[in-house]
Amino acid sequence: MGQFPEALDLKEEDVQLLLAASAHLGSQNVNPKMNRYVWRRRSDGVHIINIRKTWEKIVLAARVIAAIENPADISVVSSRQSGQRAVLKFSKFTGAHPISGRFTPGAFTNQIQEKFLEPRLLVASDPRTDNQAITEASFVNIPVIAFCNTDSPVRLVDIVIPFNTNSNQAIGLGYWLLAREVQHLKGQLARGTPWDIMIDLFIYRAPEEQEAQKKAALEARPAHPAEHAAPAEHAAAEPATGDSWGDQGWGDNTPATPWGETPATAQWGDSSDVPAAAAPAPVSNEPAGWENNQILNNAGWE
């Protein structure tokens, strides 16, 4: 049916995945060099990409990647946040070197730079956002494979993979298909055997979206107030005590005797049921005989 053997033909399952991820939807603008990959134009002006040519370019790119002996000599770059997760996962399963986030200028041309690299192949997620990496790759004769939308500049790209680069699901699916095809060509995964790696691992999800999903899941859970409330018969059996500060006010347990005065019939700590003991007689510290003026009479002062 195509220029590849039957084993490399596009399967119906892959077509469904490409359509579900909107990988075939381009933009309303088209680059003249991308016209060959456009199937038709919708009434709203969006160009539709030919999925057959997309698959042929994925197989071609996978054959180039599998031909490199050392996978670490392959650099995969994505400056856009939506493709960074896909780049990291693709590098994990293929052994390539990921460059996620901002590309440091001079990484391919400045030898005194700490992060200087000399890759043999560059895979870019979007020629528009990864323009710096593609430009430096052209200076040192590094071939470039890039996912390109219908309006992407392709002047310095060697292998164009027509794809919807504006969708998180589409760019994640593109790297998933490319990684699976590389494993097929290297013999790490047999043809016809489903890959047990989920596509969701390659798809970027914004933190706001994850928080909204968690909030919706919590709201959808049914409330069970009876599980947390105490049984009615248990609550009725418990006597009401004034030990807790929140049950009764300070005035409920206020003693009849004002603070600072000791009751005449009981000491602190004595129970009200025990009769109060007789108070001891007061002991005077004055010398004996002062009340009779005995000392003065003996001295003769009077």
Side-chain angles (χ1 to χ4, degrees), residues 110-117:
N110 189 1
Q111 298 183 0
I112 64 175
Q113 189 179 127
E114 182 180 357
K115 296 183 179 180
F116 176 72
L117 298 172

Side-chain angles (χ1 to χ4, degrees), residues 75-92:
S75 294
V76 190
V77 61
S78 176
S79 300
R80 182 178 293 182
Q81 193 174 22
S82 59
Q84 294 178 8
R85 183 180 180 89
V87 163
L88 295 175
K89 294 299 180 180
F90 176 83
S91 302
K92 176 182 178 181

